[in-house]
Amino acid sequence: MNKKYKARIARAVQYIESNLANKISLADVASVSHFSDYHFHRIFTGMVGETVNDYIVRRRLECAANLLIFRTELSVTQIALENGFSSTANFSKAIKRHFGFSPSEIRNPDKIKNSKIGKISSKYGKEFSPLDLYPARITNEVMNYNIKDTKMNVEVRELDCLRVCTLASERGYELDAIYSAWDRLIDWATNHGIQQDEQKRFALAFDNPTVTPIDKCRYTASIVIGDEVSVQSPFISSEIPKGKYAVLYYKGAPEDAIQAQLSLYSNWLPESGFEPDDFPMMERYLNDVRADGYLEMEIHVKLKVL
């Protein structure tokens, strides 16, 4: 795929992500990409796998679903308006059509009759159950807890700004695509003098896989580099910002990690005095899951004071 095309579509996607709460016109998105209006829609659909409008609607609904779960102090009306919907009625219809559940059912899954499972838009073929969004409650006062015999703990840390070299997974959270991105990035770092046992590896996980189809989730592999290291396409130089982070240690089965992540958002954060800052969740990998058969990592969520 042409690198320049990918970079220009990436700019368009970033523009959409930054303006989900606002009215977004096709002409504005095309202008950011520097493609003509006539050709942009076909190029976007071919490279992203869905139309511009479908992408915008899906992302608004995914953001709204996460707010229904993790921001219980917000009313349904507030969430609807903050995600670009003109009314609560239109929002409720869109949520029901996409997820198979109403906003109140997503917010209160215990009240759902017959334990039904919805399917996220037939075009995505993803089964969805609101119950999957709610991990077991944490009751230990010091936030040490066990999920399926896996010990975890949460602490708040100050992180300095880190320069990183990044590479995005081309198919979201699909394992083969993630491993491919990491293999390429690790080889790049090794060839630039950063030995494997010295590499600090972070993944930026932008989306919630219980809400977003796996292949649509945005995942970026990152390795910390020095200021003197030159980065060329397809790799991108970026930064992990300085700030305060909630850090949750996890060691266990890869498939159980999602419950640890959800617990941090739904159980620890509401009692912490903080809320998530506008930066994606990060995973710092401490081992090689393919070699060891288990996953050891630190989950980082950037914080701001309520």
Side-chain angles (χ1 to χ4, degrees):
M1 189 181 298
N2 186 288
K3 295 176 183 178
K4 291 183 179 180
Y5 270 51
K6 290 181 68 175
R8 290 161 73 177
I9 291 298
R11 286 198 296 269
V13 169
Q14 182 57 50
Y15 175 83
I16 293 171
E17 293 294 328
S18 299
N19 289 278
L20 286 174
N22 306 317
K23 184 177 181 179
I24 302 174
S25 72
L26 177 62
D28 289 340
V29 183
S31 176
V32 170
S33 72
H34 301 298
F35 287 115
S36 70
D37 292 4
Y38 181 80
H39 295 290
F40 170 71
H41 195 280
R42 293 180 178 85
I43 295 170
F44 185 97
T45 302
M47 296 182 71
V48 177
E50 53 194 325
T51 67
V52 178
N53 186 63
D54 283 349
Y55 181 90
I56 293 170
V57 171
R58 175 175 64 81
R59 289 293 298 125
R60 284 175 170 163
L61 291 170
E62 291 167 357
C63 290
N66 282 306
L67 288 174
L68 287 168
I69 301 302
F70 301 122
R71 296 293 302 277
T72 55
E73 77 279 9
L74 298 178
S75 68
V76 172
T77 299
Q78 286 176 288
I79 293 173
L81 296 177
E82 289 181 8
N83 285 276
F85 292 90
S86 59
S87 69
T88 303
N90 288 339
F91 171 65
S92 297
K93 289 178 182 177
I95 284 280
K96 179 80 171 182
R97 184 167 57 249
H98 187 76
F99 291 105
F101 298 89
S102 68
S104 61
E105 288 176 321
I106 292 176
R107 182 159 269 181
N108 301 285
D110 291 337
K111 297 181 180 180
I112 298 173
K113 296 180 180 180
N114 302 323
S115 299
K116 64 179 180 177
I117 295 178
K119 179 167 285 190
I120 295 178
S121 297
S122 58
K123 68 170 70 69
Y124 300 117
K126 175 181 173 62
E127 290 187 344
F128 171 79
S129 172
L131 287 171
D132 293 339
L133 293 165
Y134 293 88
R137 294 291 302 176
I138 299 174
T139 57
N140 190 311
E141 292 182 358
V142 295
M143 300 302 171
N144 290 332
Y145 54 97
N146 288 275
I147 295 178
K148 296 183 179 180
D149 299 322
T150 301
K151 186 177 180 180
M152 306 177 190
N153 49 69
V154 177
E155 62 179 288
V156 176
R157 290 185 199 162
E158 292 281 351
L159 267 64
D160 290 329
C161 179
L162 298 171
R163 183 172 182 246
V164 291
C165 177
T166 73
L167 185 67
S169 164
E170 294 186 350
R171 295 188 309 282
Y173 292 174
E174 290 184 1
L175 281 179
D176 287 348
I178 287 175
Y179 291 151
S180 175
W182 274 113
D183 287 342
R184 293 176 66 191
L185 184 59
I186 289 169
D187 285 346
W188 177 92
T190 302
N191 291 333
H192 283 74
I194 309 172
Q195 299 306 311
Q196 290 198 25
D197 58 356
E198 299 173 352
Q199 294 173 7
K200 294 181 180 179
R201 302 169 185 168
F202 289 88
L204 275 64
F206 292 80
D207 300 303
N208 181 347
T210 58
V211 172
T212 303
I214 293 295
D215 65 327
K216 300 297 184 186
C217 289
R218 293 162 297 155
Y219 179 102
T220 300
S222 306
I223 290 179
V224 176
I225 58 175
D227 292 337
E228 74 286 353
V229 179
S230 176
V231 178
Q232 304 294 329
S233 181
F235 305 97
I236 297 173
S237 174
S238 186
E239 287 185 347
I240 294 172
K242 177 180 179 179
K244 197 180 298 291
Y245 290 77
V247 181
L248 181 150
Y249 172 78
Y250 177 87
K251 182 178 180 181
E255 60 269 21
D256 291 336
I258 182 63
Q259 290 299 313
Q261 296 164 357
L262 291 176
S263 291
L264 182 58
Y265 280 93
S266 62
N267 296 314
W268 185 84
L269 274 167
E271 307 298 329
S272 68
F274 298 101
E275 63 178 311
D277 203 349
D278 296 327
F279 189 73
M281 185 191 71
M282 295 191 301
E283 301 169 345
R284 181 185 176 188
Y285 299 125
L286 305 175
N287 77 322
D288 183 345
V289 64
R290 286 178 285 181
D292 299 332
Y294 64 86
L295 177 61
E296 185 174 9
M297 68 176 177
E298 293 175 339
I299 301 166
H300 292 63
V301 173
K302 194 170 187 293
L303 303 172
K304 60 182 177 182
V305 177
L306 281 170

